[in-house]
Amino acid sequence: MDEQKVLSIKGLLDDTPEEYLSHKEKYENSIRKSVLFYKTLHSTEDENMSVDEKTKLNFRNIVTSAIFKDNSPFMLHNSMFIPTIMGQGTDEQREYWMKRAKNMEIIGTYAQTELGHGTFIRGLETQATYDPDTEEFVLHSPVLSSYKWWPGGLAHTANYCIVMARLYIKGKSHGIHPFMVQIRDEETHMPLPGIKLGEIGAKLGFNTVNNGFLGFENHRISRDRMLMKNAQVLKDGTFVAGSNSKLTYGTMVYVRVLIVSNMANMLAKAVTIALRYSAIRRQSQPKPDEPEPQILDYVTQQHKLFIAIASSHAFYMNAMWLWEIYYSVSLQLASGKLDNLPELHALACCLKPLSTIDATAMIEKCRLACGGHGYMLSANLAQTYGLATAAYTYEGENTVLLLQAARSLVKAWVGHVKGRPLKGTMAYLAGDSTVKAWDGSIDGIIQSFKVVAIRKISSVVKILQDYEKSGLSPEDAWNKASVFLTAASEAHGRAVLLSVYKSEMDKRAAVLSPPLRKVLLQLVDLYVTYWALEKVGDMLLYASITDKDVDELQRRYIELLAAIRPNAVGLVDAFDFRDEILNSTLGAYDGRAYERLMEEAMKSPLNAEPVNQTFHKYLKPFMRGKL
Ligand SMILES: CCCCCCCCC/C=C/C(=O)SCCNC(=O)CCNC(=O)[C@H](O)C(C)(C)COP(=O)(O)OP(=O)(O)OC[C@H]1O[C@@H](n2cnc3c(N)ncnc32)[C@H](O)[C@@H]1OP(=O)(O)O
Ligand SMILES: Cc1cc2nc3c(=O)[nH]c(=O)nc-3n(C[C@H](O)[C@H](O)[C@H](O)COP(=O)(O)OP(=O)(O)OC[C@H]3O[C@@H](n4cnc5c(N)ncnc54)[C@H](O)[C@@H]3O)c2cc1C
């Protein structure tokens, strides 16, 4: 990266650590850094790029911005505002709005969630009522619960937003559709008439994303502001429905795919910090006549951390694989072919939850593996956890998405039993679900995970059918069985994660140098063995593993940890995060953790003076019995 760009990254550094800034200063500082980031690191497309190149550039920009500035007030502009224009706008609307959005002439966000509804999109209450006399939509928030609540950048940053609102024409509801709405004056940045804007307040994390609220008081927009690729409203108010009402949900599928890659990146950052720290931290004296060992030499420490390296690789491989599927389905949708959309939706509904569940848990484990210093904000592990755990909820709360995936799995299984062919990533459900003898090879274990998924899906379908036979409605049967429906989805997702990681690594292994191939395949082996041990109950129940096999698996796992240990630091160095990006006292490349901890401590405002003014004001009188 050229020096100019490096200098600009240094500008991303905070002279005063963010934790000592006020809520307002944090936001203002983040705007400063986001502008700096965009001016230097954001790659802009040129006009003669193909759609293919433009789409992939946008994907790269989002991933880069996530690496460099994952809690920027501009986050939604790139990750949802632009993709919605691309996915939901007509050619003419795309032409006009993409230019303005790409050049950052306008800054947008995506306003769907309301105070009263986040998961249940069909329950959204913001109204867009068509007025054929003026050829306008009247946007209105009828009740408090209909206020848009959460959109990133909405509070003080964006001047435009995509509003997902319920379309009414002549009193009839036509469902939820996307509307391009200017919310602030482009010159003064004041909220436009009939628009109430504000910030929703401090959060567990993401405190510089500027999440806001938005209420409408009969605010009018012209007809051409409804994004009309998938459904149209003609001048006279005729509604023309799209081929599939779920096409308006397209941006969410796109972001779910993005999130899988973002989890790979977040986990890579956290394990780089924790592992580098574990290499310099020495503690305890197991052997009296020897120096204190690196904590990285404790096998329990390796158990905490090495799986995070492998998981980051697994999420990355799955994300790239899923992105290719998303991209090909998007091209099919463009030509009106919808039949692969359900599978893409189900895949995203599995991989987004599993990658966020695993990454969140493993980032927390990285923090805990650093002992007391992991608890310092200057370690940047708590903040990384805060960012990752948000993804459990946003873009489709994980339980809800796993239930969505279960919907597809149940349909596929019932169809299979009736003789309908299974396809794509569900084809394995038609496979043999009896395991004669445990096969401890990597492929054998992955096959066992597929058997577990088949058995869990078939057994939860049986529960559903028994409930319905007993007279329960399908909805009540579904709710009663929902714990095991999510378990079936998780099993399917686990089987996909494992098999895709293995197959994608096999594809790449051929071109790797033998030493690199050996190390990367050790990580695949570790990942598969780790999960077989984590899910040993399922293996015992469905995959004929014996206690002897488990004993062998445990020994193999221990040997794998030992084999990976010599390359562990090299493996996280290979993630190649600059210190400015890790932004961690514990994870810097030079390993000077103690010096950095002290340097950061001295930046605390409290250390500006040896005696704080409260001594004379409160403590001394108190201790002298005078308060
Ligand atoms: C790098 C930086 C990081 C990226 C950084 C990103 C920062 C992000 C900041 C956060 C932004 C947000 O959160 S934006 C807001 C995100 N909100 C959400 O994701 C809301 C989640 N809720 C939903 O998606 C929906 O409500 C859902 C749960 C799917 C239910 O929808 P419905 O009720 O309309 O549909 P259902 O009745 O359940 O199902 C009807 C049928 O529709 C199908 N269906 C449902 N959704 C579908 C879909 N998306 N695509 C295709 N098909 C779909 C189902 O499979 C069913 O098919 P059949 O079974 O065949 O009938
Ligand atoms: C950091 C962050 C950033 C966000 N950014 C944006 C943004 O930019 N734009 C935007 O529009 N939104 C944004 N959101 C909102 C986000 O999309 C919603 O929070 C999310 O969709 C979940 O909806 P909810 O909050 O209403 O939770 P709920 O749906 O109320 O979930 C609460 C509980 O109810 C359960 N539940 C709900 N429905 C069901 C069901 N059918 N079956 C079983 N259990 C159910 C859930 O599993 C969960 O345990 C953001 C949220 C966060 C945390």
Side-chain angles (χ1 to χ4, degrees), residues 238-257:
T238 306
F239 175 67
V240 181
S243 52
N244 179 328
S245 66
K246 304 310 173 198
L247 290 174
T248 52
Y249 293 4
T251 307
M252 289 175 278
V253 181
Y254 173 77
V255 177
R256 289 166 193 157
V257 173

Side-chain angles (χ1 to χ4, degrees), residues 62-63 66 75-76 79-80 110 112-113 118-122 206 244 246 249-250 252-253 255-256 258-259 261-262 341-342 345 393-397 400-401 404 407-408 411:
I62 293 169
V63 176
M75 182 187 216
L76 267 292
S79 59
M80 295 198 81
Y110 180 88
Q112 173 174 297
T113 302
T119 287
F120 188 46
I121 298 176
R122 286 185 289 129
F206 268 118
N244 179 328
K246 304 310 173 198
Y249 293 4
M252 289 175 278
V253 181
V255 177
R256 289 166 193 157
L258 269 179
I259 287 169
S261 75
N262 203 28
L341 179 60
H345 171 54
T393 306
Y394 67 52
E395 222 52 66
E397 196 276 338
V400 168
L401 295 189
Q404 277 290 305
R407 198 173 159 137
S408 303
K411 275 180 79 172

Side-chain angles (χ1 to χ4, degrees), residues 396-568:
E397 196 276 338
N398 282 353
T399 307
V400 168
L401 295 189
L402 287 171
L403 288 170
Q404 277 290 305
R407 198 173 159 137
S408 303
L409 290 164
V410 165
K411 275 180 79 172
W413 182 261
V414 169
H416 161 61
V417 168
K418 288 177 182 162
R420 267 206 306 274
L422 288 162
K423 58 174 193 161
T425 48
M426 292 189 193
Y428 77 89
L429 297 179
D432 182 359
S433 66
T434 51
V435 178
K436 284 119 194 111
W438 172 256
D439 168 0
S441 69
I442 294 184
D443 290 330
I445 295 174
I446 292 172
Q447 180 53 34
S448 297
F449 272 91
K450 291 179 178 176
V451 167
V452 168
I454 295 170
R455 300 287 292 277
K456 287 194 172 188
I457 293 162
S458 55
S459 68
V460 76
V461 167
K462 177 85 175 54
I463 294 174
L464 280 172
Q465 289 167 344
D466 290 350
Y467 280 140
E468 289 188 37
K469 272 187 210 129
S470 73
L472 273 188
S473 70
E475 294 77 12
D476 288 341
W478 183 267
N479 188 30
K480 273 189 94 122
S482 53
V483 168
F484 301 103
L485 284 163
T486 55
S489 292
E490 199 241 323
H492 171 66
R494 200 57 70 194
V496 170
L497 269 172
L498 286 159
S499 46
V500 168
Y501 179 24
K502 169 72 168 53
S503 60
E504 291 299 302
M505 263 318 294
D506 285 347
K507 275 186 217 162
R508 290 163 172 80
V511 296
L512 299 175
S513 67
L516 183 57
R517 181 186 313 136
K518 181 166 174 258
V519 175
L520 295 183
L521 291 179
Q522 280 170 346
L523 286 174
V524 176
D525 198 344
L526 180 89
Y527 189 76
V528 173
T529 310
Y530 174 92
W531 280 107
L533 291 168
E534 284 291 298
K535 299 290 179 185
V536 70
D538 290 338
M539 297 296 149
L540 286 164
L541 197 55
Y542 301 117
S544 333
I545 194 171
T546 66
D547 53 350
K548 187 172 156 303
D549 301 322
V550 174
D551 184 71
E552 263 173 44
L553 264 188
Q554 287 169 340
R555 293 167 194 271
R556 175 162 134 194
Y557 182 72
I558 295 166
E559 290 316 312
L560 280 165
L561 291 176
I564 290 166
R565 169 63 185 90
N567 295 303

